[in-house]
Amino acid sequence: MDQGARGPKRVVVLGATSGMGRALARRMAARGDRLHVLGIGDDELARSVADLEIRAGVRSGSIGWSRCDLEKPETFAGALEEAERKLGGLDVVVVTAAMFAAQADLESDPKLTQRLLTIDFTNTVLFCEEAKRRLLARGGGTLCVFSSVAGERGRKPVALYGAAKAGLTRYLEAMDHKHHAEGLRVVTVKPGFVKTGMTAGLKPPPFAGEPEDVAARVMRAIDRGTPEVYAPVAWGPIMGVIRRLPRFVMRRVGF
Amino acid sequence: MRNGNGSGVSMIEGWGGIGVPGRELRSENLERVTERAVLSRGLGRSYGDSSLPPASVGEVVNTTLADRLLAFDEETGLMRAEAGLSLLALNRIFLPRGWFVPVTPGTQFVTLGGMVASDVHGKEHHVRGCFGEHVTRLKMRVADGRVLWCSDEQHQDLFRATIGGMGLTGHILEVEVRMMRIPTAWILQESRRVDDIDEFIARLKDASHRLPATMGWIDLLTRGKNMGRGTLMAGDFASADVAPKRFPKPLPRVTMPFELPSWTVDRWSVRAFNTAYYWKHLPREMHGIVHWETFFYPLDMIRHWNRMYGARGFTQYQCVLPDSAGPSAPRRLLEILTSRGGASMLCVIKNCGPEGKGILSFPMPGTSIALDIPVRDDTQQLVDALNEFVLREGGRIYLTKDQFTRPEHFRAMEPRLPKFQEIRAKWDPEQRIRSAQSVRLFGDKP
Ligand SMILES: Cc1cc2nc3c(=O)[nH]c(=O)nc-3n(C[C@H](O)[C@H](O)[C@H](O)COP(=O)(O)OP(=O)(O)OC[C@H]3O[C@@H](n4cnc5c(N)ncnc54)[C@H](O)[C@@H]3O)c2cc1C
């Protein structure tokens, strides 16, 4: 596929109903990309599609949606199939959907732990495998997946969530190497704290980002095929330091 | 949300910067978060305590993540959206397509829900009334937990109490409003220097006969003969044959980076600000094409301009003086302010038309005066004095700006209050939905 920013793209977004996925889909729709939205909750999906259509100034019915549940891997192939058919092809697949839970809640509830690990690692990988196969069959494309800075180092407050995201990041890195020559661009997004519904109960740290700014950066990365994006931008250098901190310092500062 | 004095207690505040301990619940799903909440707020641009929760609750829904557009009809301009959608987003999307909200307040940093709950008015009140006149339907979560639609046809009492009802009748989830077609996004503006307050009143009336949007900006540092000099601005959207062909570029913004020490407010900043503003329009009269943001939202150019007032914050006093009070009423009001040595950075004067459909809606035929007042030890006494005057003259105050009015003054100037309370009692017999302001003014349980 042509990797430049030229021409509208055919994009599937899993997670466009909220947070960063919502902001990214709006930005892409507004510049004329053609979208298909995946997710759960028919009403939520229909409302988000209406929002995207009005913002893009296209007539009602131009943006399609399909049910796709990260808890149900059996929904993946059908949803992507439908998206491909509706769009008449596929250039970009974006995954922003994920689950978050506090470490304390996870530790007291093994079921919840299993759910989180399954959604954020196993099933996300399964979805990416399905998407990757379809993109490769077309000669390439872009797979853009939201991981997290929480996966960069093992940290006490996000031990389980971070572990799932660390696994996901490593998987995406490997895919980038494995399929680069075949025309697949894998973009791993590592958001730091971004003010969305997911983080609504938490106190924003310094450098907390807005979804719109993240969306702008991610769209540029998709256009250019940049393999790794930290967002907001300040997290790049911060994580540069944190990745290099010796273990004893990590322990000392109570991370 | 700012963190008060490093104590780790989170604070919520209105635009005047006076905060209470509390937190905001946020979600993209308004129906879910409003289930048990006692109040909703939008972008917190009401100046006083109307968007703050009662002290015993300390929790309020912030609607700003619920910002989806849900329907738009190109033929009729009918638009429906979630209540947290900002006017800024709406303008960015619709102005390039030739549509504008029929009524806009002086800032774009407001939400649809906030615009309904305050029933905002604009520079064109005498022509187009308040925002509520153009609202066709509201989706609400009411106190007993039900989600329902209200309009002039359905639950009319709830509809009319919600418009201008300061969030006290329930949570607004969705707003349906009729947008207005505009020829271009440029404004044909005329501005002129005016030498004193009396001339202002006369010129306002005159301009409002010719142009829909009129307002004046008054310098309050001059006393005596020249008291109330300032600039009068009037305008309308420019037609395609006089406007530039291109769409206006976004204007640069600057941010007020930190709070200024309080003493600066009384000294150079007020003087500099007013003088700069007055002399900016150096020629006596000017006609020209200007950017819509310059015309409608001059204060939005400086983000966090409220920090200019320092850590003690400020309040805005906005009242309407009815025509029956006579043309000298505005002068007499300003005299109360200046005789008490009150410094106001900003005084905006507008013309108001007929009352709207909102039961507690602010405007009435007359002259509206808005004063920014930095908080000092004597602010309560100053507001009392202003209120006593307004009460005598048969006027009333704007709740969305208020922080210092006493309940007895409020009740005396609001003959409509019993009607409003009756509707509230019907929809919320246990008085669950309430705010810090309704505790202070309406006598709700704290
Ligand atoms: C610079 C500036 C200029 C202004 N100019 C004007 C003007 O020209 N004309 C004018 O009329 N006003 C003006 N205002 C006031 C402003 O328009 C109102 O205060 C407006 O309501 C603020 O909207 P908000 O979204 O910030 O609401 P908030 O301040 O967050 O809330 C205001 C009220 O609305 C209620 N509310 C908000 N959302 C909901 C909801 N979803 N459901 C139920 N209740 C809700 C709150 O409980 C509160 O009582 C101005 C304010 C500023 C800062």
Side-chain angles (χ1 to χ4, degrees):
Chain A
M1 191 197 82
D2 184 2
Q3 288 300 327
R6 292 175 293 271
K9 296 184 164 59
R10 293 162 295 185
V11 188
V12 174
V13 188
L14 171 56
T17 49
S18 63
M20 289 178 275
R22 177 186 285 190
L24 179 61
R26 279 175 178 173
R27 192 165 266 271
M28 295 179 111
R31 75 164 179 188
D33 286 346
R34 296 191 39 222
L35 298 182
H36 190 92
V37 176
L38 308 183
I40 46 173
D42 292 4
D43 187 44
E44 277 300 288
L45 285 161
R47 289 165 77 90
S48 288
V49 163
D51 178 60
L52 292 169
E53 286 170 343
I54 298 168
R55 282 169 192 261
V58 297
R59 74 190 152 66
S60 159
S62 350
I63 299 180
W65 57 270
S66 314
R67 275 182 220 155
C68 180
D69 186 347
L70 268 180
E71 292 204 75
K72 299 182 184 132
E74 65 277 12
T75 60
F76 298 169
L80 282 165
E81 173 75 44
E82 201 169 48
E84 222 176 335
R85 189 155 20 86
K86 187 94 206 276
L87 292 170
L90 209 53
D91 302 312
V92 182
V93 177
V94 181
V95 183
T96 61
M99 173 187 166
F100 181 78
Q103 178 67 17
D105 296 339
L106 290 163
E107 280 175 23
S108 62
D109 183 352
K111 279 240 154 45
L112 191 67
T113 303
Q114 187 175 15
R115 224 183 118 214
L116 181 129
L117 294 177
T118 308
I119 290 177
D120 288 353
F121 180 70
T122 311
N123 290 357
T124 301
V125 168
L126 290 175
F127 182 87
C128 290
E129 285 289 298
E130 183 66 39
K132 180 193 83 179
R133 264 196 295 281
R134 286 167 190 274
L135 289 170
L136 287 173
R138 309 186 45 83
T142 306
L143 175 63
C144 171
V145 184
F146 280 55
S147 185
S148 170
V149 294
E152 301 288 89
R153 290 297 296 263
R155 291 185 52 227
K156 288 192 285 192
V158 284
L160 291 159
Y161 174 78
K165 288 296 193 182
L168 181 62
T169 299
R170 291 290 87 87
Y171 161 76
L172 294 166
E173 185 184 353
M175 287 306 107
D176 181 41
H177 294 313
K178 188 159 184 279
H179 300 293
H180 195 84
E182 297 165 76
L184 184 74
R185 297 289 170 269
V186 179
V187 177
T188 307
V189 185
K190 299 173 181 172
F193 192 101
V194 179
K195 295 178 198 158
T196 64
M198 189 170 105
T199 58
L202 311 171
K203 191 179 152 233
F207 315 115
E210 297 292 342
E212 286 69 33
D213 302 333
V214 175
R217 264 175 83 68
V218 173
M219 197 165 84
R220 211 170 320 124
I222 290 174
D223 289 344
R224 295 179 183 162
T226 315
E228 187 184 72
V229 204
Y230 287 96
V233 64
W235 286 88
I238 296 171
M239 291 319 294
V241 173
I242 290 180
R243 272 200 313 273
R244 285 171 187 81
L245 280 185
R247 182 180 282 258
F248 76 88
V249 178
M250 291 284 286
R251 183 160 298 159
R252 188 75 53 83
V253 296
F255 250 25
Chain B
M1 198 179 356
R2 209 186 312 173
N3 266 4
N5 51 49
S7 61
V9 181
S10 74
M11 301 283 287
I12 341 176
E13 54 194 37
W15 188 242
I18 301 170
V20 299
R23 60 186 208 107
E24 292 177 289
L25 306 171
R26 286 169 200 260
S27 166
E28 276 110 354
N29 190 330
L30 262 198
E31 267 193 44
R32 195 177 318 141
V33 277
T34 52
E35 236 159 31
R36 268 173 290 278
V38 303
L39 189 71
S40 280
R41 80 185 316 220
L43 279 158
R45 251 52 177 199
S46 50
Y47 285 70
D49 50 4
S50 57
S51 72
L52 307 179
S56 66
V57 177
E59 217 171 62
V60 58
V61 166
N62 175 307
T63 62
T64 55
L65 291 177
D67 64 347
R68 284 181 289 200
L69 283 155
L70 299 171
F72 180 62
D73 184 337
E74 287 280 351
E75 299 295 310
T76 59
L78 206 61
M79 190 272 299
R80 179 163 59 89
E82 291 174 333
L85 182 68
S86 71
L87 181 54
L88 182 75
L90 209 58
N91 285 343
R92 289 214 176 131
I93 295 163
F94 285 105
L95 269 160
R97 299 183 200 168
W99 295 95
F100 190 57
V101 279
V103 171
T104 176
T107 173
Q108 298 180 86
F109 297 101
V110 293
T111 61
L112 284 175
M115 287 169 78
V116 174
S118 295
D119 197 17
V120 296
H121 60 276
K123 302 177 201 305
E124 62 292 83
H125 184 264
H126 50 282
V127 184
R128 282 197 281 275
C130 286
F131 190 68
E133 303 305 304
H134 309 272
V135 172
T136 45
R137 282 196 300 162
L138 295 170
K139 187 179 183 183
M140 303 206 36
R141 149 104 51 207
V142 288
D144 65 9
R146 268 183 302 161
V147 170
L148 48 83
W149 285 96
C150 63
S151 66
D152 268 333
E153 285 76 45
Q154 213 178 346
H155 305 306
Q156 194 198 59
D157 60 342
L158 178 67
F159 186 57
R160 298 199 165 192
T162 301
I163 292 169
M166 305 312 298
L168 301 177
T169 53
H171 307 274
I172 302 165
L173 306 176
E174 289 177 21
V175 176
E176 186 181 78
V177 60
R178 202 176 294 281
M179 301 282 282
M180 172 179 85
R181 267 219 187 274
I182 49 166
T184 70
W186 293 95
I187 303 289
L188 187 57
Q189 173 186 270
E190 58 176 67
S191 64
R192 61 178 314 143
R193 261 173 8 193
V194 177
D195 291 328
D196 64 58
I197 181 73
D198 301 325
E199 188 192 340
F200 237 116
I201 303 303
R203 291 222 177 263
L204 256 181
K205 289 270 179 244
D206 168 59
S208 65
H209 288 311
R210 293 180 294 112
L211 289 160
T214 46
M215 64 96 86
W217 199 306
I218 295 182
D219 173 359
L220 283 176
L221 292 177
T222 42
R223 308 269 155 101
K225 194 166 74 53
N226 270 342
M227 189 180 69
R229 69 169 187 182
T231 313
L232 178 75
M233 282 155 283
D236 196 2
F237 283 100
S239 60
D241 51 323
V242 297
K245 293 286 159 280
R246 63 188 170 80
F247 186 75
K249 280 203 204 64
L251 295 176
R253 295 186 208 275
V254 294
T255 297
M256 181 72 63
F258 45 77
E259 286 177 348
L260 292 178
S262 294
W263 55 266
T264 56
V265 178
D266 280 354
R267 309 230 186 150
W268 58 267
S269 59
V270 180
R271 199 167 289 275
F273 189 81
N274 276 328
T275 310
Y277 202 82
Y278 186 63
W279 294 112
K280 206 184 106 203
H281 297 267
L282 210 54
R284 280 230 142 248
E285 241 186 288
M286 259 183 0
H287 293 260
I289 298 278
V290 299
H291 198 288
W292 51 276
E293 288 195 318
T294 313
F295 184 72
F296 287 113
Y297 313 112
L299 283 167
D300 285 358
M301 298 301 123
I302 310 165
R303 271 197 200 244
H304 302 299
W305 60 262
N306 55 345
R307 292 179 182 163
M308 205 147 49
Y309 287 93
R312 282 192 79 180
F314 70 114
T315 184
Q316 187 167 88
Y317 185 83
Q318 183 171 1
C319 63
V320 54
L321 295 166
D323 289 332
S324 61
S328 71
R331 171 179 286 274
R332 285 178 283 138
L333 181 91
L334 295 189
E335 270 162 7
I336 296 174
L337 180 80
T338 48
S339 70
R340 289 173 166 264
S344 176
M345 188 145 343
L346 186 69
C347 172
V348 174
I349 182 164
K350 280 187 256 194
N351 214 13
C352 288
E355 266 182 10
K357 65 165 77 155
I359 289 177
L360 275 194
S361 187
F362 163 68
M364 62 161 89
T367 307
S368 147
I369 295 181
L371 307 160
D372 279 358
I373 300 172
V375 171
R376 300 190 312 200
D377 294 336
D378 60 355
T379 301
Q380 182 66 58
Q381 287 84 326
L382 173 61
V383 171
D384 288 347
L386 293 170
N387 275 335
E388 274 151 25
F389 175 77
V390 169
L391 195 51
R392 260 199 319 275
E393 301 296 338
R396 60 179 173 241
I397 55 144
Y398 191 10
L399 287 173
T400 207
K401 308 285 178 81
D402 178 56
Q403 174 110 43
F404 287 94
T405 291
R406 295 181 191 276
E408 54 276 21
H409 284 151
F410 172 62
R411 270 169 219 156
M413 56 176 79
E414 261 317 338
R416 303 172 301 174
L417 188 60
K419 174 84 191 146
F420 180 79
Q421 291 289 58
E422 188 190 311
I423 299 172
R424 253 183 106 197
K426 174 183 150 196
W427 287 91
D428 183 9
E430 281 153 45
Q431 215 178 66
R432 240 168 46 76
I433 308 282
R434 60 204 201 275
S435 65
Q437 185 175 54
S438 77
V439 170
R440 174 170 60 88
L441 287 183
F442 294 61
D444 292 354
K445 63 178 183 233

